[in-house]
Amino acid sequence: MSDSAFSLREFTRQLPKAELHLHIEGTLEPDLIFKLAQRNHITLPYPDQASLHAAYQFTDLQSFLDLYYAGAGVLITEQDFFDMTWAYFLRAQADGIVHAEIMFDPQTHTARGVAMETVFAGLARAARQAKSELGISSYFILSFLRHLSEADAFATLEAALPLREQYADLWIAIGLDSSEKGNPPAKFEKIYARCRELEFRLVAHAGEEGPASYVRDALQLLKVERIDHGVRSQDDPALMQYLIDHAISLTVCPLSNIKLKVFDSLDEHNLKHLLDRGLNVCVNSDDPAYFGGYLLDNYMQTAQALNLQASDLRTLAANSLRSSFLPKAQQQAWLNKLENVPSND
Ligand code: HPA
Ligand code: ZN
C-alpha cells in the first residue's frame, strides 16, 4: 500500500461516521455460523467454512437472499443474537463508526419458532454494551420482508409492539427489505400508514434491483424519510431533481451493488455521479460478511475506483451523520469533530 493510500484510509477511519444501512443478519461471518451451528446442534449443508464462503458467488439479489436466510438459521438463543451483534460493534469501532442504525428481520426468526423477545434481548444487550463500553450509539430498524404478505407484516408488528417500551431507547424505526422485484411499495401502504401513526421513523429499500418508480412510490405512498440503495433513481431525471430538492438521503452500498450485479464493476458505480449532482448520498456496508467488506473497506475501495478525494470522503461521512435519526445536537457534535479531522490536501 502506498503512503498516500495509507493516509487516506487513516483519514477516513478517523472521520466520525454513521452506518445507516446494515442488516445485522448480514454480519454473520462463516466462522460464527459454524460456531453457532455446533452450539445449537444444527447440521449445515457445507462441510467447512471455506466451502460455505466459496458459495458466496451471487448472480442477483435473490441468489444472495437464499444463502442469507439459510445462514440466519443458526441463530436460536439470546446469546447467539448477542454474539452476532457484539462482533459487528467491534468491527464498527475499528472502522471509526460512532453511530449505527441496524436493520433486523424478525420474520426470519419467528418463522423458525424463535421468540420475538429473544431477538430483541440479544440485539439490545449488545447495543447497550456498545454504548457503555465502546461509545457507539445505535438504533434498531425493524424490517418487514417484502416477499411475505402485508398481513404477515401486521402480525409481526403486533408481536413486537408489547416490547416497544422496554426497548424505546433503541427501536425507533421501520424498514422494508428482501426481494424487491414484483413486491412494490404499494403492497405495504397500510402497514406503513399504521407505523406512521405509531410515530416510528420510516425507511425502505427501493431502487436496488427494482425501478426508479419504486423509489418514488416509497416516498409518496409509504412516506419514508430515507431510501435504502436508491441507485436506480438515476433513470428518472424528474425523480433525481425531487431527491435533490428535498435532500432525500440515499443509503448507498457500493460493494453490495457489485456483488449483486447492480453494476458490473466498482468503477462503473454511480455514487460519484450522485454526489456531484448534489444528492444526499452516504456509504454503507449492507451485508458485509457476504459482500467482502465492512464500512471502511466500502469507503476505500469506492474511493480508489472512483478517484474520490478527501473532501468527498468528508462529505460522505457528514451526509451519514446528518441523515441519521440522532437528535440534531448530537449530529452537530459529531459534525464538529468531523470538521476537525486533518487531511493532507
Ligand atoms: N436488499 C434487500 N434485502 C436485503 C438486502 C438487500 O441488499 N440485504 C439483506 N436483505
Ligand atoms: Zn440492504
Side-chain angles (χ1 to χ4, degrees):
M1 201 190 303
S2 72
D3 273 2
S4 65
F6 173 77
S7 60
L8 195 62
R9 187 177 179 90
E10 181 54 21
F11 163 75
T12 309
R13 193 189 63 74
Q14 287 181 23
L15 293 173
K17 295 175 293 301
E19 172 138 77
L20 306 180
H21 184 162
L22 181 278
H23 304 264
I24 199 62
E25 295 90 349
T27 68
L28 258 185
E29 292 285 346
D31 61 342
L32 191 53
I33 290 180
F34 271 82
K35 187 177 147 191
L36 298 184
Q38 196 175 30
R39 193 154 93 187
N40 293 322
H41 313 289
I42 292 169
T43 306
L44 294 167
Y46 298 92
D48 52 35
Q49 288 173 43
S51 49
L52 172 60
H53 195 258
Y56 294 177
Q57 303 290 339
F58 311 119
T59 50
D60 57 10
L61 175 58
Q62 193 59 50
S63 64
F64 153 69
L65 290 171
D66 294 343
L67 268 176
Y68 162 87
Y69 295 128
V74 299
L75 295 159
I76 308 289
T77 66
E78 187 265 3
Q79 187 67 41
D80 300 340
F81 287 92
F82 171 86
D83 288 348
M84 168 177 68
T85 310
W86 184 246
Y88 167 69
F89 278 116
L90 292 177
R91 289 179 181 268
Q93 184 191 40
D95 280 359
I97 293 172
V98 298
H99 174 72
E101 299 188 353
I102 297 176
M103 283 179 256
F104 69 110
D105 292 337
Q107 286 154 299
T108 305
H109 311 301
T110 53
R112 299 180 290 109
V114 176
M116 186 68 83
E117 289 90 325
T118 304
V119 181
F120 268 88
L123 265 61
R125 184 157 62 91
R128 289 173 181 154
Q129 189 171 319
K131 183 87 184 284
S132 62
E133 292 184 12
L134 309 176
I136 301 176
S137 58
S138 55
Y139 293 136
F140 296 158
I141 304 172
L142 184 155
S143 300
F144 299 124
L145 299 180
R146 69 201 303 157
H147 67 275
L148 301 178
S149 67
E150 191 178 47
D152 206 307
F154 268 108
T156 303
L157 181 66
E158 286 310 316
L161 278 178
L163 303 172
R164 188 175 188 186
E165 205 176 302
Q166 196 180 343
Y167 299 105
D169 54 324
L170 294 166
W171 177 29
I172 61 150
I174 295 293
L176 184 65
D177 59 11
S178 188
S179 323
E180 187 180 6
K181 282 186 191 160
N183 295 297
K187 181 176 166 185
F188 295 94
E189 221 176 320
K190 291 191 196 71
I191 185 86
Y192 267 71
R194 177 73 186 125
C195 291
R196 212 156 82 90
E197 272 173 13
L198 290 166
E199 299 189 343
F200 284 106
R201 311 296 295 260
L202 304 177
V203 303
H205 283 53
E208 177 187 18
E209 274 192 348
S213 64
Y214 282 20
V215 175
R216 191 182 283 280
D217 288 352
L219 293 166
Q220 291 176 353
L221 303 180
L222 306 186
K223 306 196 190 311
V224 302
E225 296 174 65
R226 209 161 72 195
I227 296 286
D228 293 314
H229 293 297
V231 290
R232 295 250 167 146
S233 303
Q234 199 184 340
D235 300 339
D236 179 345
L239 173 64
M240 287 285 278
Q241 196 57 51
Y242 181 91
L243 298 175
I244 295 165
D245 292 345
H246 295 84
I248 304 291
S249 172
L250 306 184
T251 64
V252 176
C253 305
L255 291 180
S256 164
N257 291 158
I258 304 316
K259 282 289 191 298
L260 302 188
K261 308 210 181 299
V262 174
F263 296 92
D264 290 337
S265 66
L266 209 46
D267 52 15
E268 291 169 60
H269 198 286
N270 66 356
L271 178 82
K272 172 81 169 137
H273 173 75
L274 299 175
L275 191 63
D276 289 347
R277 283 287 318 271
L279 274 89
N280 178 10
V281 287
C282 60
V283 169
N284 303 272
S285 70
D286 207 5
D287 301 283
Y290 292 90
F291 299 150
Y294 285 77
L295 187 65
L296 190 53
D297 284 332
N298 270 271
Y299 272 82
M300 298 326 295
Q301 290 189 38
T302 309
Q304 172 118 46
L306 301 179
N307 195 27
L308 301 182
Q309 306 301 304
S311 58
D312 298 317
L313 296 164
R314 200 190 297 269
T315 300
L316 290 165
N319 287 350
S320 76
L321 296 165
R322 277 195 209 99
S323 302
S324 76
F325 294 140
L326 280 172
K328 285 277 176 255
Q330 280 183 47
Q331 290 182 17
Q332 195 54 54
W334 287 123
L335 287 163
N336 294 344
K337 289 212 164 78
L338 175 139
E339 288 308 325
N340 288 325
V341 176
S343 74
N344 283 339
D345 50 48

